[in-house]
Amino acid sequence: MESTSFIRFLFLILAAVVLLLFTRSWIHLPSPAADELDLLDCNRFSSWCTSKNRIQTKQTTPSSSSSTTRSASSSSAAVRDHSDDVPRHPLDPLTLREISAARSILLSQPPFSSSPSSVIFHTLTLSEPDKSSVEAWSKGSALPARRASVVARFQGESYALTVDLASGALTTLPVPASGFPTMTIEDMSSSTWAPLSDAAFNSTVLARGVRLSDVACLPISPGWYGEKEEGRRLIKVQCYSAEGTANFYMRPIEGLTVLLDMDTKEVVSISEQGRGIPIPKSAGTDYRYEAMAGFNDDPPRLGLKPISIEQPAGPSFEVEEGGHMVRWAGWEFHLKADARAGVVVSRVRARDPDTGEWRGVMHKGFVSELFVPYMDPTDAWYFKTYMDAGEYGFGLQAMPLVPLNDCPRNAHYMDGVFAAADGRPYVRENMVCIFERYAGDIAWRHSESPITGMGIREARPKVTLMVRMAASVANYDYIIDWEFQTDGLIRAKVGLSGILMVKGTPFSHLNQFPQNEDIYGTILSENVIGVIHDHYITFHLDLDVDGANNSFVKVKMAREDTNPGQSPRTSYIKATRQVAKTEKDAQIKMKLYEPSEFHVINPSKATRVGNPVGYKVVPAATAASLLDHDDPPQRRGAFTNNQIWVTPYNESEEWAGGLFVYQSKGEDTLAVWSERDRGIENRDIVLWYTLGFHHIPCQEDYPIMPTVSASFDLKPVNFFESNPILSAPPNFEKDLPVCVAAAASA
């Protein structure tokens, strides 16, 4: 007994020392000289690395000085040196030097200059110029004034500011009435270690049979459930056993929840509701290739042989050297990484095949918020209702893409340049990839029947351009695709993969559960329940179809009955167009038996036969929230109450869940803004579309989930005079490479 107590004491002392060193190096960051350009190790700023690095080898970040030029046929992403980057377009993200300059300006002015080391940067990004300045700018002309948008915490207060990089002027902006800024990576990482400084927590973990050296913890946003949680930044921490597997998510220490003060790292309370629930087994949970039995079998498992799409002449798209403008097959757009949204597509224009004119389609499109409520009201689960963009930073959680697997050969990679909690810049490498995709799909075709006597066989291959990023928000992986097609269609697709968040149970078989007991999910393996949950991804779509002033039109389809004797038919479908006058006219809930089309038109532009030019939103499979509108999570996630909203453009209304989402009450959301019922006819408008998933887990999701996807389209509707790819050429054998397997050619 004495030796056991002594060992526990040593573990406690070790944890306290590690936490002290960690806190000193990550929270109280020293302030370098104002002109110092300090690039941080990107991998160090993964929010989950503090747990994962103890069970898997940390990757080494290549030196930024080893920059190479990417070859079109390279199978791996090149390392890029960003130290000399300069902005080339009004929407280009802040460079390393600009981030450092903004930081220096802010820290040199009151009140921040009184204690620079106390300033925590939650956002430091480009404050975009107004739309008219961007529209008026042309390549070669001077850029509009460069400004930084900053959200910071200082001595317990939140600040929103803009920093003029040329003049050094600071402008203070209003902040929301409730909530806190997006967590920093340092907030998340330090919170996962903090419970180890608490003797009661350590005793509880050891009593559950888990060694402290095997503990892996996650920071969980608490939501908002009343006034008792207001006034300070709180976070909940739950932990797992990493013994025997890299997939510690499958081994929860069920029912153990730590409530932590995120600023002081003080343990506020510990809830232990899981006594008697065993830690699930580690066997069969690892998903890494090298952990698979027979991973080096020959032939490959599943009988699949390697496949690759080759482009001997190189890709057809162009990315401006050192810049962010992309051009491909009648499209051009601006592309950049963003710490909160992930990836932002801007200034999307299509070239008219008849006139050669570049015509506006969308000023800006991005993921505005993700709402992920779990459907378990018990003590250790009720608060799991995540807002992944506003609470965690969707872009901050983006991991480097894996060449040949996340993105194919010939992909072009783009980095993200972000600011750490102390305002210093760092690079998130290979965060976005761009590539051409051909999956054997058909762009258009027609063959004449033999009865016509016409031997026509016409078909065209469908090649598209993909923009991709993937965010690993702890256990879940989100794949975001923007797909551009040659016919003018844009498809936004969300893929879900990664690992379920599971619940421990004392039962190992379905027949052991008490009859009629709600287990809130599906038993997936012995002692493991996959909890039912939803995913809602809300897109901000600032469509500017042939100009900024547009209207939203609901094209309603309904049965029309024929008059007696009018026709052998008794009914048909009639389309009726209704132009939305105000915001509430454009709030749409999808109804299968009341179908409609949803058009954004330019009422001032028409085709030669008189139709207004436009684009339409084409929903695919989606889901709607079933939660009570007064349920606290749904109040905060009220932007999911409709699948479509339309608002007048307002540069301050970008985040559907509000500027400050963390512990917010839902007072600054898309739903609240729209209560003003502002006019939207023939105005600069923004369309918001929410794509949803209901997820009832199944055993095929264990231990890692095959990707499931959903999407929606932005499709031209009378935008072109005719089929814009009518003149697209077919493939001919003489134009295509003949590839021979290496083994066959040896």
Side-chain angles (χ1 to χ4, degrees):
M1 286 293 293
E2 290 182 358
S3 63
T4 302
S5 298
F6 180 69
I7 291 172
R8 290 180 180 177
F9 177 74
L10 285 179
F11 269 121
L12 177 59
I13 294 298
L14 176 62
V17 170
V18 169
L19 180 65
L20 178 61
L21 293 173
F22 181 84
T23 303
R24 289 187 62 185
S25 62
W26 283 58
I27 301 300
H28 302 293
L29 296 165
S31 299
D35 59 350
E36 181 178 348
L37 185 64
D38 192 354
L39 224 88
L40 301 179
D41 175 2
C42 175
N43 290 289
R44 177 182 167 204
F45 287 86
S46 164
S47 47
W48 322 111
C49 70
T50 52
S51 295
K52 286 189 174 181
N53 282 347
R54 289 182 289 148
I55 56 176
Q56 60 190 49
T57 304
K58 179 181 176 183
Q59 296 179 356
T60 302
T61 301
S63 168
S64 61
S65 63
S66 60
S67 176
T68 59
T69 302
R70 184 187 339 286
S71 165
S73 61
S74 172
S75 63
S76 61
V79 177
R80 292 160 294 280
D81 182 356
H82 293 278
S83 58
D84 294 324
D85 283 0
V86 294
R88 301 167 183 267
H89 187 280
L91 298 177
D92 279 0
L94 294 179
T95 66
L96 296 173
R97 296 189 183 281
E98 287 178 320
I99 290 174
S100 294
R103 174 183 183 274
S104 298
I105 292 169
L106 185 138
L107 295 181
S108 69
Q109 298 193 34
F112 313 107
S113 57
S114 64
S115 181
S117 62
S118 301
V119 179
I120 304 298
F121 291 82
H122 292 261
T123 301
L124 204 173
T125 189
L126 177 72
S127 176
E128 294 185 354
D130 61 79
K131 289 177 67 171
S132 60
S133 297
V134 176
E135 294 286 340
W137 180 83
S138 59
K139 187 174 181 178
S141 59
L143 293 176
R146 298 281 286 177
R147 296 183 177 90
S149 175
V150 178
V151 173
R153 295 266 300 163
F154 179 65
Q155 297 180 345
E157 297 293 329
S158 298
Y159 293 83
L161 315 103
T162 56
V163 180
D164 190 303
L165 297 178
S167 69
L170 291 187
T171 303
T172 302
L173 305 173
V175 298
S178 71
F180 296 103
T182 304
M183 287 186 287
T184 67
I185 295 295
E186 293 83 347
D187 282 333
M188 299 177 234
S189 297
S190 58
S191 295
T192 65
W193 280 96
L196 289 168
S197 66
D198 187 89
F201 170 80
N202 292 341
S203 296
T204 303
V205 169
L206 292 168
R208 296 287 293 271
V210 179
R211 296 176 300 186
L212 295 182
S213 59
D214 289 328
V215 172
C217 300
L218 295 179
I220 301 174
S221 55
W224 180 87
Y225 293 92
E227 294 181 358
K228 65 180 180 179
E229 299 178 354
E230 295 178 6
R232 58 176 170 173
R233 294 200 306 154
L234 298 172
I235 193 165
K236 296 195 175 185
V237 179
Q238 293 185 333
C239 301
Y240 304 76
S241 171
E243 181 183 12
T245 181
N247 190 356
F248 59 85
Y249 303 101
M250 290 296 121
R251 308 198 70 214
I253 307 174
E254 186 56 48
L256 177 60
T257 306
V258 177
L259 180 63
L260 191 75
D261 185 306
M262 192 158 32
D263 290 319
T264 66
K265 299 301 179 287
E266 169 198 358
V267 172
V268 177
S269 65
I270 299 175
S271 174
E272 165 61 305
Q273 304 288 326
R275 295 183 184 89
I277 299 178
I279 308 300
K281 65 183 181 180
S282 62
T285 62
D286 207 329
Y287 51 84
R288 295 171 297 173
Y289 185 54
E290 61 268 24
M292 299 295 102
F295 76 92
N296 57 354
D297 288 353
D298 187 22
R301 303 184 82 191
L302 301 180
L304 292 177
K305 297 179 180 179
I307 185 171
S308 178
I309 304 301
E310 303 303 321
Q311 294 179 291
S316 301
F317 65 90
E318 298 176 352
V319 180
E320 185 178 88
E321 183 66 28
H324 295 263
M325 287 300 299
V326 181
R327 295 180 182 85
W328 174 82
W331 284 109
E332 73 168 15
F333 54 89
H334 186 274
L335 180 67
K336 65 181 174 185
D338 183 84
R340 182 162 176 171
V343 63
V344 178
V345 180
S346 302
R347 291 287 287 142
V348 180
R349 300 198 297 172
R351 187 170 56 205
D352 191 295
D354 297 322
T355 66
E357 173 191 2
W358 286 102
R359 301 170 61 191
V361 175
M362 182 167 66
H363 179 73
K364 191 175 184 181
F366 60 92
V367 171
S368 178
E369 192 53 86
L370 301 93
F371 177 41
V372 189
Y374 280 76
M375 304 303 167
D376 184 336
T378 59
D379 181 76
W381 281 80
Y382 74 89
F383 51 87
K384 294 182 180 179
T385 55
Y386 306 98
M387 303 277 197
D388 286 335
E391 293 177 336
Y392 292 88
F394 198 44
L396 292 179
Q397 312 307 323
M399 297 294 106
L401 294 163
V402 181
L404 300 183
N405 294 280
D406 280 331
C407 311
R409 200 188 305 271
N410 290 340
H412 174 94
Y413 292 83
M414 190 174 287
D415 299 336
V417 177
F418 303 144
D422 68 344
R424 297 175 183 172
Y426 68 95
V427 175
R428 176 71 80 207
E429 295 176 349
N430 304 331
M431 180 176 157
V432 180
C433 72
I434 310 163
F435 60 91
E436 286 171 294
R437 178 180 181 271
Y438 174 61
D441 295 329
I442 300 168
W444 67 260
R445 78 175 312 279
H446 180 66
S447 294
E448 276 297 334
S449 166
I451 62 174
T452 67
M454 302 170 65
I456 296 176
R457 305 287 186 271
E458 293 283 343
R460 302 293 184 269
K462 184 176 184 176
V463 179
T464 63
L465 184 72
M466 305 290 293
V467 171
R468 173 170 294 167
M469 67 148 284
S472 299
V473 189
N475 54 306
Y476 249 100
D477 288 60
Y478 294 87
I479 303 117
I480 304 296
D481 286 342
W482 289 90
E483 182 176 16
F484 294 84
Q485 300 187 177
T486 53
D487 59 2
L489 183 144
I490 304 170
R491 176 165 295 158
K493 184 168 73 171
V494 178
L496 305 180
S497 188
I499 302 168
L500 289 171
M501 182 164 281
V502 301
K503 180 176 183 175
T505 174
F507 306 116
S508 59
H509 195 280
L510 188 60
N511 62 16
Q512 296 173 343
F513 288 91
Q515 191 173 8
N516 299 324
E517 177 178 312
D518 193 342
I519 65 173
Y520 310 112
T522 306
I523 185 168
L524 305 176
S525 183
E526 291 79 1
N527 310 115
V528 175
I529 293 173
V531 177
I532 297 169
H533 57 283
D534 287 348
H535 298 265
Y536 300 102
I537 301 91
T538 297
F539 285 79
H540 174 287
L541 305 166
D542 182 3
L543 293 169
D544 284 358
V545 180
D546 251 348
N549 287 352
N550 290 173
S551 294
F552 178 77
V553 180
K554 181 179 179 180
V555 184
K556 185 178 180 180
M557 290 173 277
R559 189 185 76 197
E560 189 83 1
D561 294 330
T562 59
N563 296 322
Q566 177 184 358
S567 170
R569 293 277 298 273
T570 60
S571 65
Y572 63 99
I573 290 177
K574 181 178 179 179
T576 304
R577 290 162 173 78
Q578 301 172 341
V579 178
K581 305 292 185 182
T582 67
E583 291 175 272
K584 290 187 178 180
D585 292 339
Q587 294 175 5
I588 304 296
K589 291 179 172 64
M590 302 296 179
K591 298 177 182 178
L592 183 62
Y593 286 98
E594 295 180 20
S596 295
E597 287 194 353
F598 311 104
H599 297 189
V600 174
I601 66 164
N602 187 324
S604 302
K605 301 284 183 70
T607 64
R608 70 175 187 275
V609 296
N611 291 313
V613 301
Y615 260 73
K616 63 181 177 181
V617 179
V618 184
T622 190
S625 178
L626 304 178
L627 295 180
D628 181 354
H629 284 193
D630 288 328
D631 193 352
Q634 191 60 34
R635 269 190 251 159
R636 301 173 71 235
F639 51 87
T640 65
N641 290 346
N642 298 307
Q643 285 72 58
I644 292 177
W645 310 71
V646 179
T647 61
Y649 173 79
N650 184 324
E651 63 180 8
S652 68
E653 296 177 0
E654 288 199 320
W655 310 110
L659 179 63
F660 290 0
V661 173
Y662 199 90
Q663 288 180 248
S664 70
K665 302 177 187 178
E667 299 168 323
D668 179 32
T669 69
L670 171 59
V672 173
W673 310 332
S674 290
E675 280 299 310
R676 288 174 281 180
D677 201 22
R678 295 163 291 185
I680 58 171
E681 184 180 9
N682 199 16
R683 298 273 300 274
D684 190 356
I685 57 177
V686 175
L687 187 145
W688 309 73
Y689 181 80
T690 295
L691 186 155
F693 300 79
H694 295 307
H695 190 173
I696 302 175
C698 59
Q699 286 186 243
E700 288 81 0
D701 294 330
Y702 178 92
I704 194 165
M705 296 177 288
T707 300
V708 59
S709 300
S711 64
F712 67 92
D713 293 343
L714 299 175
K715 187 178 187 300
V717 54
N718 303 315
F719 186 79
F720 300 107
E721 293 290 349
S722 62
N723 181 349
I725 55 172
L726 185 64
S727 61
N731 279 336
F732 295 101
E733 192 69 38
K734 64 181 179 62
D735 298 325
L736 301 178
V738 178
C739 301
V740 180
S745 61

